[in-house]
């Protein structure tokens, strides 16, 4: 991977001074067109210590218009980041459409360093690289142009650089013990890096290995690659629009219409089981929060299926410090300017917290699919992206619970009419609700599709018959308790 | 302050059940109108342990529509918050216009607890209360309705509550050692709280002390107060618009036109002094970042005065991990929906970092004032708010440097024309720049006003003659070095 990058490639001072103004003017032109486009640019700067990553960033910062440019140094993680899945810190820094972000340090740093220092094994490394491929594929599909630069220097050269820095009192501080440690493990580092680059060098996210020996060659090449990537994207033909979609039709017998909607609970049994489940939930929640784990609880279902009622029965059992209820409504313009899942990553709960979603990221494959707000490409790839998202939450110590609440169309109508008649319920009913009713079958089909494709072993859907509210609430609370018990049990075992 | 709150006030179960649906319908009505208004609501829930703050929040959460409601538990601080001024954690959670946020724990918690436990003295306490008054005044002026609820229980009652919770295995965990410690210091706590409430009970941010002995009385009263506050605001007459403003005229002899614009540096001296200052700056910056302090560097000045050039001379001396350049452009809609300074608080640098602003919060009293984008009320109060902001930065360990770069109108014209002629500079010149030129005197007047009102002992303005770019750059770098040296010197002394 790095052979060519050890050849002797140089740019003379004269050539550099001739070419930089031309490059700069072209970069500024490209940046101006980018600002009006629907895509964003992420530049990943990686490579060996001593190769001059910081200097490349300084050059790029000087050449580009700082309006529209962000530089993110990712050398330390905050407690807010440590409490969340690893990709959280990158998600939160993704640039909005029209903008460019430089990442100094990236999702490659930790996996490569850990592998080089033998702190992780091959399997784990492969798993992380696969995750990166998925992440970058998602970014590319979300209109983020990835420019990945690997700055390479040989081991010999690295030693020379370190020695030279050390010999000058003004720069000696730049070389620490850790750098010499890295130098000792140079070969292992290059081996791990080589593997990472090969495995993640995909059409949508190519690696560029740059010979970093000569700084003028290095900076100029970096700038040219960046320019090429933006121009290529600007000149790309617009995607062919997908043809018109026919509304989905559910299978005659499906997981939703097979639910037994006749299940009911009488008041007395309800009161008893609800109160017992709430006590249990309070205790489990306390144990979960004490262990700094977190939970995400998602509610989806037909309109008026009783999501709010279930949520209130849960929150009554919890300390107000432990939970947040997140009703999912229209995105803000900052949210619209980012990849679809960005707005949900923003709200990933910290350790020790419950995030309860009244509707969720599943909107993409439900209302957005049925109403045509998302293109076919968008909602089709959402299944995989959502599974990936939930897997990352789970691995990050955040348990995911998902409830689908189902009623019959007749019961829905009764509830709509009740809402219309009760002053403090009127706000809940809108013309949209009446319109959606007419597309009952299309929504049912979309929901069946969703349940089939996103019921995973780490985050299965629980289908709840909600024709009777009491039955639904008790089912939700008891399911949640069982789930939390299983999580805490697993945790105990793993600690043994 | 708390006498009335110890009287025996109760609401019967029957009365509660009759009044809650009425209250709830009114709250939902008010919330719907609020959603379409230009103001936001912040509910601060404070009071003694055991008074049921969490339960009040649960009730409010149930009564309101969760769309448009946020609950923020502020019991822990993250490392990102610890590295920034104390109010940062509240700023970042302020609700957008149309929304309601409940703060469980607030800017009162720490000052009161520290005072009660004798960890801070009277003077410090007073200082913190004054800061709170300023903060709340700013919030009120920024259209945030503050609803401050203090839940009171007597010492005797607190003991009873704790004992009762301890006696039930399901709730025993709610009472910790810390709670009994608080109980021991109940009198000191109530004394500190009483003082805090009196000092911060202002027309724009009234305190409501609620007798929390009876939970139905407590929750119902809280809801009624909230409703009253929103309704009062909804019914308030619109503010009388300020009359038309005449453009400001600068004093004949002023700080800007008295600058000696003839100062120049020859190339040779420039190269030498710049390079020496950059070396010095690199070293100082490293010491500053190593000590986890931070710096904010603000550039303002006439168009084409050379802000970008100065910034590049600074960044070249810094490691790319240490700094961020923040060009201030149009706010996003999320930013517009929040108080003016919110967008700047979002970007307050973490410890060990430099934030360099190409234009800044001073836009309020410069372009927004001259062009009439801000009302007279808004830009007039901005002086005080900005001083307060910068004082908080300074006290939070973030040094503030402010440079005003001045040129003559003739020099500006020359630079505009040069920009028009140089391909990679063309992007910098817009029709706005030509228009602003025509208002030269009004801008000069606004700048003089700004410099007079916001040059403070902790963050003075440095006026720089920028007619000669070389002189300006060297002046900026050397001033910065001197400032950083003084900061590090003070730090060293204070550590001795």
């Amino acid at each position: 991977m790095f052979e060519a990058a050890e050849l002797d490639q140089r740019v003379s001072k004269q050539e550099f001074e001739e070419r930089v103004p031309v490059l700069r003017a072209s970069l500024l032109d490209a940046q101006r067109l980018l600002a009006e486009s629907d895509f964003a640019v992420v530049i990943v700067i990686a490579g060996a210590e001593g190769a001059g990553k910081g200097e490349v960033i300084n050059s790029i910062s000087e050449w580009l218009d700082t309006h529209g440019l962000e530089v993110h140094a990712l050398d330390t993680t905050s407690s807010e980041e440590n409490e969340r899945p690893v990709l959280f810190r990158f998600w939160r820094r993704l640039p909005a459409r029209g903008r460019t972000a430089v990442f100094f340090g990236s999702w490659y740093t930790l996996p490569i360093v850990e592998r080089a220092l033998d702190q992780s094994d091959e399997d784990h490394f492969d798993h992380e690289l696969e995750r990166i491929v998925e992440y970058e594929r998602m970014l590319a599909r979300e209109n983020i142009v990835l420019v990945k630069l690997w700055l390479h220097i040989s081991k010999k050269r690295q030693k020379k650089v370190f020695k030279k820095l050390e010999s000058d009192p003004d720069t000696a501080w730049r070389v620490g013990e850790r750098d010499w440690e890295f130098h000792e493990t140079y070969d292992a580092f290059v081996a791990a890096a080589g593997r990472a680059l090969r495995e993640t060098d995909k059409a949508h996210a190519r690696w560029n290995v740059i010979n970093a020996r000569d700084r003028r060659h290095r900076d100029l090449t970096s700038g040219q690659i960046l320019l090429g990537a933006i121009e290529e994207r600007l000149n790309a033909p617009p995607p062919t629009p997908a043809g018109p979609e026919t509304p989905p039709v559910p299978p005659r017998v499906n997981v939703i219409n097979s639910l037994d909607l006749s299940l009911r609970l009488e008041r007395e049994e309800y009161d008893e089981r609800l109160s017992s489940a709430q006590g249990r939930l309070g205790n489990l929640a306390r144990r979960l929060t004490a262990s700094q784990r977190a939970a995400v609880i998602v509610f989806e279902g037909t309109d008026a299926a009783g999501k709010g009622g279930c949520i209130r029965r849960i929150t009554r059992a919890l300390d107000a410090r432990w939970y947040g209820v997140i009703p999912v409504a229209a995105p803000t313009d900052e949210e619209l300017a980012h990849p679809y899942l960005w707005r949900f990553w923003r709200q990933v709960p910290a350790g020790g917290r419950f995030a309860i979603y009244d509707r969720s990221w599943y909107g993409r494959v439900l209302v957005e699919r049925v109403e045509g707000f998302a293109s076919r490409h968008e909602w089709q790839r959402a299944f995989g992206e959502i599974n990936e998202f939930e897997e990352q939450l789970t691995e990050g110590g955040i348990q995911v619970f998902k409830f689908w609440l189902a009623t019959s169309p007749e019961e829905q109508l009764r509830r709509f009419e009740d809402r219309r008649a009760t002053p403090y319920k009127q706000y809940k009913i809108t013309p949209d609700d009446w319109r959606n009713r007419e597309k009952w079958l299309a929504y049912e089909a979309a929901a069946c599709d969703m349940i089939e494709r996103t019921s995973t072993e780490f985050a299965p859907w629980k289908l709840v018959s909600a024709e009777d509210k009491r039955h639904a609430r008790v089912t939700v609370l008891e399911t949640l308790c069982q789930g939390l018990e299983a999580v805490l049990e697993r945790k105990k075992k793993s600690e043994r």
Side-chain angles (χ1 to χ4, degrees), chain A residues 260-277 313 415 464-478:
Chain A
D260 181 359
L261 297 186
S262 71
L263 297 168
R264 312 189 70 77
L265 268 191
E266 289 316 312
R267 165 64 72 179
E268 205 174 328
E269 188 183 348
Y270 167 74
D271 284 345
E272 203 177 292
R273 280 172 65 183
L274 181 73
S275 149
S276 143
R313 297 319 178 283
R415 292 186 189 177
V464 180
S465 160
E467 194 83 348
D468 177 60
K469 288 182 178 180
R470 292 197 285 254
H471 170 78
R473 290 169 188 168
V474 166
T475 306
V476 164
L477 266 95
E478 290 179 348

Side-chain angles (χ1 to χ4, degrees), chain A residues 302-442:
Chain A
T302 46
D303 290 325
K307 295 185 287 293
C310 285
I311 292 173
R312 279 194 292 279
R313 297 319 178 283
I314 293 174
T315 58
R316 264 181 221 166
L318 303 179
D319 186 298
R321 271 166 294 205
W322 297 341
Y323 72 86
V325 177
I326 303 163
V328 173
T332 66
D333 74 344
E334 288 191 29
E335 290 169 345
L336 281 174
H338 285 89
Y340 177 66
L341 287 173
W342 186 78
R343 55 192 295 227
F344 302 106
W345 272 98
R346 274 182 124 177
Q347 291 171 319
V348 164
R353 308 258 310 158
F354 284 74
I356 306 172
Y357 287 84
D358 187 345
R359 304 201 183 278
S360 67
W361 40 92
Y362 284 101
R364 192 70 156 192
V365 295
L366 295 170
V367 59
E368 291 190 38
R369 171 182 180 182
V370 174
E371 305 296 338
F373 301 149
S375 74
R376 192 183 303 179
H377 291 306
E378 287 172 330
W379 65 257
Q380 282 186 341
R381 65 183 163 83
F383 295 119
E385 289 167 6
I386 287 172
N387 286 340
E388 184 70 21
F389 174 48
E390 294 179 354
E391 188 175 7
Q392 289 179 39
L393 293 179
T394 312
E395 290 184 8
I398 301 169
Q399 200 59 37
V400 181
F401 298 92
K402 305 187 296 202
F403 295 98
W404 176 268
L405 305 190
T407 64
S408 67
E410 299 74 32
E411 176 61 22
Q412 185 187 58
L413 186 62
R414 271 192 295 277
R415 292 186 189 177
F416 278 11
E417 278 162 359
D418 172 53
R419 284 182 174 185
R420 214 162 30 184
T422 313
Y424 70 83
K425 290 184 180 166
Q426 280 159 3
Y427 77 96
K428 290 199 205 173
I429 185 123
T430 67
D432 274 353
D433 293 322
W434 293 100
R435 268 198 300 275
N436 293 349
R437 251 183 83 72
E438 288 164 24
K439 300 186 184 160
W440 185 275
L441 283 183

Side-chain angles (χ1 to χ4, degrees), chain A residues 20-61:
Chain A
V20 161
V22 182
L23 172 63
R24 206 171 155 186
S26 306
L27 278 171
L28 289 167
D29 277 343
Q31 208 186 353
R32 199 166 39 248
L33 293 170
L34 164 65
E36 282 151 27
S37 78
D38 64 345
F39 66 95
V41 177
V42 168
I43 308 171
V44 169
I45 311 266
E49 291 306 309
K53 298 189 284 272
E55 290 159 279
V56 169
I57 292 172
N58 275 341
S59 292
I60 290 175
S61 306

Side-chain angles (χ1 to χ4, degrees), chain A residues 189-255:
Chain A
F189 176 77
V190 165
R195 182 171 174 79
L197 266 62
R198 279 192 308 274
E199 297 291 324
T200 60
D201 186 40
K202 304 286 176 189
H204 55 265
R206 283 260 166 263
W207 270 107
N208 302 278
V209 178
I210 296 172
N211 182 338
R213 180 170 180 166
D214 177 67
R215 65 176 179 77
R216 288 189 291 262
H217 168 78
R218 178 196 65 201
D219 291 7
L220 202 58
T221 309
S222 301
Q224 293 289 4
I225 289 168
L226 172 61
L227 176 64
I230 304 180
E231 284 182 342
E232 187 186 359
R233 178 53 197 246
L234 287 168
N235 298 328
T240 41
E245 292 185 51
T246 42
V249 179
R252 257 235 313 250
V253 179
N254 64 50
V255 288

Side-chain angles (χ1 to χ4, degrees), chain A residues 17 45 68 73 95 100 113 126 143 150 160 165 171 183 205 222 238 265 277 288 341 371 387 395 434 438 441 453 462:
Chain A
E17 282 175 1
I45 311 266
T100 302
V113 168
D126 281 348
N143 280 354
W150 184 271
K160 219 164 156 181
L165 288 169
T171 57
H183 182 67
S222 301
L265 268 191
L288 192 86
L341 287 173
E371 305 296 338
N387 286 340
E395 290 184 8
W434 293 100
E438 288 164 24
L441 283 183
R453 289 164 199 275
K462 170 72 183 176

Side-chain angles (χ1 to χ4, degrees), chain A residues 31 41 69 86 107 130 162 196 201 237 354 404 406 425 446 481 487:
Chain A
Q31 208 186 353
V41 177
L69 180 73
V86 281
W107 41 90
E130 279 160 27
F162 287 175
D201 186 40
F354 284 74
W404 176 268
K425 290 184 180 166
C481 289
V487 171

